[in-house]
């Protein structure tokens, strides 16, 4: 297992900063980003980025949306619109949704749009060429269903009932499943393996043989060793191990289709495009690496000899795609490297039921963020606390309001108390930090760093040290102790509450964002007006409009 970036003790400068690159799994551009997305991998990775920057590491990041995923075609067909235009429209909304919660990336592109497409095609072609050169590709004939919906003159690639058009019973756990995956047990299956196959757009009338490219890793237990090196948690590793035990170290890399990144071979009978859950999934990461190269002037963090620490994250439904598809593509060639850490989370429910874009059972991130005078900082703390890292969690709208108000009241009162004490001190005042409070801060910082360890990440525990620090506010009676409390709150709170903590940090006379290594460097300068947490307390009726059945898609 690759060693995680070192986190120095608070007020100690990091003497060995390293390059870190964060690239979570893309979002399918068939809908907007809801709180189920935000409270899972994307908020987690935003918190991790800030945590590592706070420790002095050099952190860069990239994210994409997938406009080629088959469910984009399904929605475009339903709405009788162009799939590329639909996907790019949702890309713009997804960027806005996540940014409304303070979740931002250095690059957040639609690789299938405009000039981005050529870059995307180049990196995907390089990946497939490297896999072919390394002998990791096999061409296999699989039986695929054809339904009666397309006309007789439709091209063969469009007649197959696959992806979002295909429904079935999972051959492993017997749950209702569709596309190529079972969300219940995580298994990836070929249509011919599935039980009770149906078409969601018509009636299956025949099955036909088609040849696709498949990844094949020959070295025994190569994937299993890689999962150990990547510190994959046992429950998610077990899902992938069951797949490998049943099907071996292999996975589909291409599917027949017209809307997607094509890859040609004389073996194929139909036009083949890269599969969104293996080769295309890894190509999205390589695209992000290429974008980083163009802006930083450094080699891509994904090239084989890069020493950057690579981090990704996704939900449990992408366990096989990430641990077999992406990791297998990274191991199956000699040009690009795998992630050093991949973090998974379970599903978040909403009032007892799974978030669902298709059913409209969602709270859109951008809509709740537009609630008049809501504090995004406080909302982020709540979402971090219910992050479904170790099991499924439930967002209960009434509990959201209650917990939000408790956090808002406690933190606002503490900040007002300490800024009032500091502001009332005669100027200029020579500042210094309080030793006893620094000892308490050091303990809480160490506790938070343990929760944000890249060897066992628990963002759901990251707010506890912040709350404990808020409980220490009664000890802040002097100018020095109040100053120390505010400085400590800025450092502890920044990964979760970037807006108020950055404002406090600058008001206390510092520049940039909170840095743990500067925690004991006081300043007598005060910059601007006294910071306060934006927003107000909420009532249940304040968020009622963005609950399922009442929000606009």
């Amino acid at each position: 297992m690759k060693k995680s970036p070192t986190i120095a003790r608070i007020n100690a400068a990091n003497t060995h900063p390293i390059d870190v690159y964060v690239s979570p799994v893309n979002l399918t551009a068939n809908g907007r980003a809801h709180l189920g997305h935000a409270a899972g991998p994307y908020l987690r990775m935003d918190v991790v980025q800030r945590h590592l920057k706070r420790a002095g590491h050099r952190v860069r990041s990239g994210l994409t949306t997938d406009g080629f995923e088959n469910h984009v075609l399904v929605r475009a067909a339903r709405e009788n619109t162009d799939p590329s235009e639909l996907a790019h429209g949702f890309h713009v909304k997804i960027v806005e949704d996540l940014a409304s919660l303070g979740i931002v990336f250095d690059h957040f592109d639609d690789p299938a749009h405009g000039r981005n497409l050529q870059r995307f095609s180049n990196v995907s072609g390089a990946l497939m060429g490297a896999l072919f050169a390394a002998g990791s590709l096999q061409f296999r004939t699989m039986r695929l269903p054809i339904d009666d919906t397309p006309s007789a003159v439709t091209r063969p690639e469009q007649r197959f009932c696959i992806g979002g058009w295909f429904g079935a019973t999972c051959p492993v756990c017997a749950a209702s499943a569709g596309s190529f995956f079972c969300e219940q047990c995580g298994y990836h299956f070929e249509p011919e393996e599935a039980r009770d196959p149906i078409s969601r757009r018509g009636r299956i009338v025949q099955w036909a043989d088609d040849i696709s490219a498949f990844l094949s890793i020959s070295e025994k237990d190569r994937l299993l060793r890689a999962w150990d090196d990547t510190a994959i948690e046992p429950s998610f590793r077990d899902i992938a191990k069951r797949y490998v035990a049943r099907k071996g170290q292999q996975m589909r890399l291409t599917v027949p289709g017209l809307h997607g990144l094509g890859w040609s071979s004389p073996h194929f009978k139909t036009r083949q495009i890269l599969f969104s859950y293996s080769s295309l999934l890894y190509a999205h990461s390589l695209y992000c690496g290429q974008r980083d190269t163009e802006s930083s002037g450094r080699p891509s963090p994904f090239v084989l000899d890069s020493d950057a620490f690579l981090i990704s994250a996704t939900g449990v439904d992408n366990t096989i795609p990430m641990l077999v598809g992406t990791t297998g593509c990274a191991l199956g060639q000699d040009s690009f490297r795998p992630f050093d850490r991949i973090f998974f989370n379970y599903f978040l429910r909403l009032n007892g039921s799974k978030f669902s874009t298709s059913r409209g059972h969602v709270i859109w991130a951008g809509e709740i963020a537009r609630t008049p005078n809501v504090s995004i900082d406080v909302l982020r703390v709540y979402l971090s606390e219910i992050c479904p890292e170790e099991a499924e969690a439930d967002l209960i709208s009434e509990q959201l309001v209650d917990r939000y108000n408790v956090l808002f009241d406690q933190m606002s009162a503490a900040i007002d108390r300490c800024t009032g004490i500091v502001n009332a001190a005669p100027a200029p005042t020579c500042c210094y930090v309080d030793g006893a409070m620094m000892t308490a801060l050091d303990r809480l910082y160490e506790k938070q760093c343990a929760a944000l360890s890249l060897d066992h990440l628990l963002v759901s525990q990251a707010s506890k040290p912040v709350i404990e620090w808020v409980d220490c506010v009664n000890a802040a009676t002097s100018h020095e102790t109040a100053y120390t409390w505010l400085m400590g709150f800025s450092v502890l709170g920044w990964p979760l509450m970037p807006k108020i903590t950055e404002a406090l940090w600058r008001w206390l006379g510092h520049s940039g964002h909170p840095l743990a290594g500067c925690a004991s460097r006081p300043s007598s300068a005060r910059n601007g007006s006294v910071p306060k947490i934006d927003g107000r307390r909420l009532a249940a009726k304040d968020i009622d409009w963005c609950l399922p059945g009442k929000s606009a898609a």
Side-chain angles (χ1 to χ4, degrees), residues 278-335:
S278 56
S279 52
L280 192 68
L281 191 62
Y282 189 42
H284 276 276
S285 296
L286 300 183
Y287 171 94
C288 289
Q290 183 60 34
R291 287 285 282 123
D292 181 71
T293 292
E294 292 167 6
S295 61
S296 69
R298 300 171 182 157
S300 168
F302 290 92
V303 296
L304 203 59
D305 58 354
S306 168
D307 59 359
F309 195 89
L310 300 178
I311 302 174
S312 190
T314 189
V316 61
D317 50 332
N318 277 322
T319 301
I320 300 300
M322 283 300 289
L323 295 186
V324 181
T326 291
T327 302
C329 284
L331 297 176
Q333 41 72 46
D334 300 320
S335 298

Side-chain angles (χ1 to χ4, degrees), residues 422 425-433 479-481 483 522-526:
V422 171
T429 301
C430 182
C431 296
Y432 63 88
V433 295
H479 172 267
E480 290 77 15
T481 52
Y483 177 94
S523 168
S524 59
R526 297 292 170 267

Side-chain angles (χ1 to χ4, degrees), residues 498-534:
K499 191 170 184 179
I500 181 59
T501 54
E502 286 182 24
L504 284 170
W505 185 253
R506 290 191 291 269
W507 184 73
L508 292 172
H510 303 288
S511 60
H513 62 74
L515 276 170
C518 298
S520 60
R521 299 180 191 174
S523 168
S524 59
R526 297 292 170 267
N527 298 319
S529 58
V530 177
K532 294 181 179 294
I533 293 180
D534 287 347

Side-chain angles (χ1 to χ4, degrees), residues 465-499:
V466 182
I467 304 304
E468 286 188 50
W469 188 244
V470 171
D471 292 340
C472 294
V473 73
N474 289 334
T477 56
S478 67
H479 172 267
E480 290 77 15
T481 52
Y483 177 94
T484 305
W485 187 91
L486 290 168
M487 178 273 302
F489 183 79
S490 298
V491 172
L492 282 178
W494 187 58
L496 298 170
M497 307 178 70
K499 191 170 184 179

Side-chain angles (χ1 to χ4, degrees), residues 226-306:
W227 302 335
D228 289 337
D229 293 342
T230 317
I232 303 301
E233 293 178 309
S235 58
F236 302 107
R237 189 168 60 239
D238 287 346
I239 293 173
K241 284 176 67 176
R242 287 193 294 270
Y243 172 87
V244 169
R246 188 179 179 104
K247 300 188 73 169
Q249 297 183 117
Q250 60 88 28
M251 191 173 182
R252 172 181 288 275
L253 294 180
T254 68
V255 292
L258 300 179
H259 183 68
L261 286 183
W263 189 70
S264 61
S265 167
H267 295 85
F268 295 148
K269 298 165 59 177
T270 57
R271 182 179 188 270
Q272 295 282 308
I273 59 175
L274 300 192
F275 186 40
S276 281
Y277 297 96
S278 56
S279 52
L280 192 68
L281 191 62
Y282 189 42
H284 276 276
S285 296
L286 300 183
Y287 171 94
C288 289
Q290 183 60 34
R291 287 285 282 123
D292 181 71
T293 292
E294 292 167 6
S295 61
S296 69
R298 300 171 182 157
S300 168
F302 290 92
V303 296
L304 203 59
D305 58 354
S306 168

Side-chain angles (χ1 to χ4, degrees), residues 223-471:
L223 285 174
L224 277 69
R225 295 196 304 273
W227 302 335
D228 289 337
D229 293 342
T230 317
I232 303 301
E233 293 178 309
S235 58
F236 302 107
R237 189 168 60 239
D238 287 346
I239 293 173
K241 284 176 67 176
R242 287 193 294 270
Y243 172 87
V244 169
R246 188 179 179 104
K247 300 188 73 169
Q249 297 183 117
Q250 60 88 28
M251 191 173 182
R252 172 181 288 275
L253 294 180
T254 68
V255 292
L258 300 179
H259 183 68
L261 286 183
W263 189 70
S264 61
S265 167
H267 295 85
F268 295 148
K269 298 165 59 177
T270 57
R271 182 179 188 270
Q272 295 282 308
I273 59 175
L274 300 192
F275 186 40
S276 281
Y277 297 96
S278 56
S279 52
L280 192 68
L281 191 62
Y282 189 42
H284 276 276
S285 296
L286 300 183
Y287 171 94
C288 289
Q290 183 60 34
R291 287 285 282 123
D292 181 71
T293 292
E294 292 167 6
S295 61
S296 69
R298 300 171 182 157
S300 168
F302 290 92
V303 296
L304 203 59
D305 58 354
S306 168
D307 59 359
F309 195 89
L310 300 178
I311 302 174
S312 190
T314 189
V316 61
D317 50 332
N318 277 322
T319 301
I320 300 300
M322 283 300 289
L323 295 186
V324 181
T326 291
T327 302
C329 284
L331 297 176
Q333 41 72 46
D334 300 320
S335 298
F336 308 105
R337 53 185 289 254
F339 285 99
D340 298 297
R341 294 291 182 275
I342 302 174
F343 298 109
F344 295 91
N345 60 263
Y346 293 94
F347 290 131
L348 182 69
R349 298 187 298 271
L350 171 59
N351 293 330
S353 299
K354 179 179 175 292
F355 273 82
S356 171
T357 298
S358 61
R359 291 188 293 109
H361 188 71
V362 294
I363 298 177
W364 302 115
E367 290 194 357
I368 195 169
R370 290 198 305 271
T371 299
N373 297 315
V374 68
S375 169
I376 299 303
D377 279 336
V378 176
L379 182 60
R380 282 171 57 104
V381 174
Y382 170 76
L383 292 175
S384 75
E385 290 180 341
I386 63 168
C387 181
E389 296 169 299
E390 298 180 294
E392 288 192 355
D394 205 352
L395 190 162
I396 306 297
S397 51
E398 294 85 355
Q399 293 177 4
L400 182 159
V401 172
D402 291 343
R403 180 58 176 163
Y404 170 98
N405 286 335
V406 169
L407 293 168
F408 181 87
D409 290 345
Q410 292 178 339
M411 293 179 178
S412 295
I415 291 169
D416 290 348
R417 171 191 173 96
C418 291
T419 53
I421 293 172
V422 171
N423 215 32
T429 301
C430 182
C431 296
Y432 63 88
V433 295
D434 180 82
M437 291 196 76
M438 282 298 297
T439 299
L441 177 62
D442 183 64
R443 175 183 64 82
L444 292 176
Y445 178 74
E446 187 174 343
K447 181 178 179 180
Q448 189 182 59
C449 290
L452 298 178
S453 165
L454 298 185
D455 296 330
H456 185 54
L457 179 65
L458 287 174
V459 167
S460 58
Q461 304 300 308
S463 69
K464 290 185 175 180
V466 182
I467 304 304
E468 286 188 50
W469 188 244
V470 171
D471 292 340

